[in-house]
Amino acid sequence: MLLLATLLAGCGASGVRETAPSAFDAVGYPPATWNPAAPRNFRTATRPGGFFFGDPITYIVIHTTEGSTASAIRRFQKPSERVSAHYIVSGDGRITQMVRERDIDWHSGNPEYNRHSIGIEHEAVSSQPATLTDAMYRSSAALTRYLCLKYEIPMDRDHIIGHNEVPDPKNPDRLGGIDRHTDPGPHWDWTYFMHLVTQGADTKPYVSTSRP
């Protein structure tokens, strides 16, 4: 009992010690730049296999921001939004990480999928194919491949999915999460993207020259 009390004394209300990670502790993918989301916009966890929401990570969910990277970052850092993503891939291939991979971001509109996935946003408008740049595809594919190898996620379309393929938790026959999102949209080239993911030699990630 004394040991338990000692452990809980250093923890927040959730039972998990709330510490602000340094950039190098937080970044799960070496080329990424760390820019954290507001703590109210994700759930602290110890994935995979930890003692607090330690669910396995079995999905990668692909999104589009429908705006700029800067606007997405601002939104994820606004506590009242209650939304976030682990990563944002910019049009030029730069990658920003906003939530630690061990933690649960709120991105898919389905709590079960959130607990078992990593969300990747892309600086693009789903109705505008010109915003889906080759640099973005290549950088995102390198990140996705890295995550699949890291967490033993199969590199297939059953496990690498779009936001539009996430079931609505209140009506599983409908897709797009509870808000019925349609991103990444009809112009997202899944054939090309999956080729880049599975053929890792063809992908060249953006490497940041200004780490935090």
Side-chain angles (χ1 to χ4, degrees), residues 71-202:
S71 64
I73 290 173
R74 285 194 299 270
R75 186 183 184 200
F76 297 162
Q77 290 179 334
K78 186 177 180 181
S80 61
E81 289 292 316
R82 299 290 184 163
V83 67
S84 61
H86 288 98
Y87 291 98
I88 303 173
V89 183
S90 297
D92 61 4
R94 287 178 294 174
I95 297 177
T96 302
Q97 184 175 357
M98 300 198 69
V99 178
R100 288 178 290 188
E101 292 166 10
R102 60 179 248 178
D103 293 332
I104 300 168
D105 58 349
W106 296 337
H107 65 102
S108 75
N110 183 315
E112 186 68 15
Y113 273 73
N114 287 346
R115 286 175 60 172
H116 292 273
S117 67
I118 288 176
I120 305 177
E121 289 275 4
H122 297 80
E123 185 185 34
V125 177
S126 57
S127 63
Q128 299 177 14
T131 63
L132 298 167
T133 66
D134 192 62
M136 176 189 295
Y137 275 120
R138 289 182 173 275
S139 193
S140 179
L143 167 62
T144 299
R145 180 180 177 83
Y146 177 90
L147 294 171
C148 286
L149 292 172
K150 187 175 185 177
Y151 296 108
E152 299 183 346
I153 303 169
M155 296 182 200
D156 60 38
R157 287 285 283 113
D158 290 328
H159 298 85
I160 303 171
I161 62 175
H163 193 179
N164 62 322
E165 296 171 305
V166 175
D168 177 344
K170 293 187 176 181
N171 187 346
D173 293 332
R174 302 290 186 91
L175 299 176
I178 197 166
D179 293 323
R180 311 281 174 80
H181 282 248
T182 60
D183 58 305
H187 303 294
W188 181 268
D189 191 337
W190 281 107
T191 300
Y192 181 54
F193 180 69
M194 293 303 298
H195 168 77
L196 293 174
V197 171
T198 57
Q199 304 297 317
D202 291 341

